[in-house]
Structures are given as structure tokens and as C-alpha cells.
Amino acid sequence: MTLTPTRAVDVRVRRLTTTLYGYSFLEEFVLLYPVYALLFSDAGLSVWQISSLFALWSVTAVVLEVPSGAWADAVSWRLLLVVGPLLTGAGFALWVLVPSYAAFAAGFVLWGTGGALSSGALEALVYDEMERGGVSDRYARVLGRARAAGLAAVMAAMGLAGPVLAWGGHAAVGAASVLVCALASVTASRFPEHRVAEGVREGQGWTAVLRGGLREARRDRSVRGALLLAPAVAAVWGALDEYTPLLVREAGVGDAVVPGVLLVIWGGATAGSLLAGEGERFGTGGLAVLVGGGGVALAVGALAGTVVGLLLVAVAFGAFQAATVLAEARLQHRIEATGRATLTSVAGLGTELVTLTVFAGYAVVASGHGHGAAFAVAAVPYVVLAVGLAVVRCRGAGAEV
């Protein structure tokens, strides 16, 4: 049977999206995520040592984020998506085989490296393949569903980690996590990639590709705006994620019920991912409403100090997740094919740096005024951003944000 061109495109897009959803789920379905702090504590690490491991993880991601994106553009997006989970899995294996500070540190370096390799390359590959098939207008919808698959995996891992830990200890949780990383790598090998890497086509190294991508950002104002918008939307609420259990406890929820409330909050974020594609047609005005509305809901819900208030936090996380997907999609629409992973990684670097700033600011506010106040303060940048987006839209310059 001979496929028509339209039918052939549909088949390729279906293969791409199916692979993406599977990869996104496996990348987050890691049973170690909810319990690795317990592993460190059981190994005798102090709070200071555990904090230093988190710092090492962040520094690794910051240092490698942009170079890895340029390398992906110069070599192969799919290759880095295959290698990334293998490095992460190797780090997890170290943790459970030789639990010690040195092994934990090496594991975080491997995990940070694996994450940096995947960051930028995934979005670039998916957008490029969809653009090649003439369906790039569906990108926000597809990306939102992929993010929802990842969030569903996180929630599933939260539910399974406890029983698996009780059954087989850290060894069982670690083995399952390594297996999932291997499956993610195998799944990544199924991604189509039809473009010829920049470095291969032009005989350039990754540094030349990096310079070319940064030149595009300097030359095109709309690309610069999109590079700033993506981390502005994603970073603050992404950092707050780490503190949601403490906010829930402060609202008077017992420890045994905290995981259930967290599932509700992340259910809100999942819904935001699934609805993100519908929001794209509302443009800059719709993005401003999402960001501003989410900021107000976050502040009111956090200051309420009640379970009902936490439902507003779930609504806010849903709005922020949808806005994050739309901002990331806007960035891909602005970038030319050259340097796509490089510039996506530049946005990722911006997100990492803003996140570190939020961590520091949160500690200052929460230590003196509580977690509800810290969440409310963190909502202020979103209200300011919403006002800025509304002003840009009113001036008729929305295409340049």
C-alpha cells in the first residue's frame, strides 16, 4: 500500500509524539526521586553534606547547560538524548552500590551531566521534526502533553517509592531507577532525526555553533525577548516546587496526609500542561492573564493558611505550567533552525540561575515570616510580568516578546 504524502506525515508525527510521551514519562518515573534524601541520611551524611551535594548538582547543570546545547547542534540531538539517561542511571547505580559521600557526589555530577545533555536537545529535535512535517503549529499542544506525561510519572513514582522501599530497601528502589533510565535511553533511540548536524554539514566544532546561535540572539530582538520570557515564567514556581511540602504542613495538614495534598497540587500542574495548547491562540494577552491570574491565586492561597487555600495553589501551578509550555513554544517559533538546541539551552541556563536566586530569597523570607509569606512574595514577579506583557500587547508589539 502506498501512503499519500499527508498520510505519511501523520505516521511520522505519530511516531515522534508517541516516542516523546514515552521518553518524557520514563525520564521522570524514577523511584529514587522521593527517597534519595533518606538514602543520604541513612548513609550517615550531615545536613551540610547533603546541601553541598545539591549545590554540586546545580553547579554541574549551570556549567554544562549551554555547551551541551551547542554540542547537540554540532553533532546529533538524538545521540545526546540516548547518552543522557545512561549517565544518570550510572550515577544512581553508584549511589546504591557504594553509598558514600564521594559516590553521591560523583552520582550528582553524572546526573547533572545527563540532564544537561537532554536539555535543549529534546525540544530542538521535536520542533524541527514537526516543522519538517508542516505541523509546528501543534508544538505547544504536544509539548504540554509531554510535560503532563512527566508529571504523571512523578506522581506515580511518589506512590510506588514507599512500597518498593519497604519491600526491598534502597537497593530495590535504586535498581528500578537504573532500569528506567536504560529504558529511557532505548526509547530515545527511536526518535527520528532527519536534519544534518551543523558541525557535520559545515565542518564546524561546537564552539563555532555556539557563537552562531548567540549571534542570532543578538541580531533578532524577538529571539532575545523569548529567551528572557522562558526563564521568567518557569524559574520561580519551579523553585517553589521544592518547598510545597513545607507549605502544606504549615497549613495544618498532618504528615501522613501531605503526599495526598501534593498529588492534588501536581494534578493542577498536569491539567495546565494538557490545556496549554488551547491557550496558544490567545497570544500575548492570554499569556498575561495566565501569569497574572496564577500570581494572584498563589498569593491568596499561600496566605490563607488552609487546605482550601492550597487548592488555589494547585490552580496557580496549573496556570504557571501552561504559561511555561507556551513560553517554551514561543521560543521555538522564534528560533531559526541554526542553533536551536544552543539557544534553548541558553534559556535553560537562565532558568537555573534565576532558580538559585529564588532559593536564596526564599530562605530569607521564610526564616522570618513563614512559608506562606515566602510563597506570596514569590508571586509578585508574576504579577509584574503580567503587567509588562499587557503593556507590550497594548503597544502592538506582542510579536517581539
Side-chain angles (χ1 to χ4, degrees):
M1 181 178 70
T2 302
L3 295 177
T4 64
T6 301
R7 174 69 172 164
V9 168
D10 288 342
V11 170
R12 290 198 301 271
V13 171
R14 191 178 302 114
R15 175 190 171 188
L16 171 68
T17 55
T18 301
T19 303
L20 172 63
Y21 300 152
Y23 182 85
S24 298
F25 183 90
L26 291 169
E27 196 176 31
E28 299 294 341
F29 187 55
V30 177
L31 300 192
L32 269 172
Y33 286 176
V35 299
Y36 61 69
L38 302 179
L39 171 63
F40 302 157
S41 180
D42 291 347
L45 270 63
S46 67
V47 174
W48 182 90
Q49 288 175 313
I50 294 174
S51 297
S52 70
L53 291 174
F54 292 155
L56 178 62
W57 185 24
S58 296
V59 169
T60 301
V62 167
V63 169
L64 296 179
E65 180 73 43
V66 175
S68 67
W71 187 29
D73 281 331
V75 184
S76 166
W77 296 328
R78 180 172 57 195
L79 174 63
L80 269 64
L81 294 175
V82 170
V83 173
L86 295 179
L87 293 178
T88 301
F92 294 157
L94 273 178
W95 287 2
V96 294
L97 291 175
V98 282
S100 63
Y101 182 83
F104 296 147
F108 268 118
V109 170
L110 288 169
W111 187 2
T113 303
L117 293 181
S118 302
S119 174
L122 179 64
E123 295 85 352
L125 186 150
V126 172
Y127 189 88
D128 187 79
E129 290 296 322
M130 293 187 72
E131 187 176 48
R132 190 178 301 273
V135 292
S136 60
D137 58 318
R138 303 183 203 169
Y139 178 75
R141 184 181 301 111
V142 169
L143 182 63
R145 291 173 180 173
R147 294 282 190 268
L151 290 170
V154 169
M155 293 188 287
M158 286 180 181
L160 288 174
V164 174
L165 183 65
W167 171 73
H170 293 302
V173 173
S177 301
V178 172
L179 176 61
V180 165
C181 289
L183 291 175
S185 178
V186 171
T187 302
S189 68
R190 289 182 46 80
F191 275 116
E193 184 178 15
H194 293 94
R195 65 116 197 190
V196 177
E198 298 297 325
V200 174
R201 182 172 65 235
E202 301 177 10
Q204 295 178 332
W206 70 269
T207 54
V209 175
L210 173 60
R211 288 193 298 270
L214 295 178
R215 260 197 312 271
E216 180 180 350
R218 289 194 300 268
R219 183 179 66 249
D220 191 329
R221 181 180 175 186
S222 68
V223 173
R224 290 199 306 275
L227 282 173
L228 293 172
L229 180 63
V233 172
V236 176
W237 84 276
L240 293 180
D241 161 32
E242 303 296 334
Y243 302 102
T244 48
L246 301 175
L247 178 69
V248 173
R249 177 188 282 175
E250 189 177 76
V253 177
D255 287 358
V257 186
V258 167
V261 177
L262 291 177
L263 287 178
V264 173
I265 292 175
W266 286 107
T270 303
S273 283
L274 293 173
L275 296 173
E278 301 302 319
E280 193 168 29
R281 67 176 182 268
F282 297 112
T284 300
L287 187 59
V289 170
L290 271 177
V291 172
V296 172
L298 180 65
V300 173
L303 290 174
T306 64
V307 174
V308 174
L310 295 175
L311 294 178
L312 285 176
V313 174
V315 171
F317 273 33
F320 295 148
Q321 177 64 49
T324 298
V325 170
L326 292 174
E328 292 175 352
R330 179 172 296 210
L331 175 61
Q332 296 301 324
H333 289 317
R334 299 290 188 270
I335 300 173
E336 297 295 333
T338 301
R340 186 174 297 282
T342 301
L343 291 177
T344 304
S345 291
V346 169
L349 173 62
T351 300
E352 293 285 350
L353 293 175
V354 175
T355 297
L356 291 174
T357 303
V358 174
F359 284 153
Y362 188 97
V364 171
V365 177
S367 61
H369 304 281
H371 298 286
F375 269 69
V377 170
V380 173
Y382 285 114
V383 176
V384 173
L385 177 60
V387 172
L389 289 170
V391 169
V392 168
R393 182 180 181 276
C394 290
R395 289 178 177 175
E400 297 200 345
V401 177

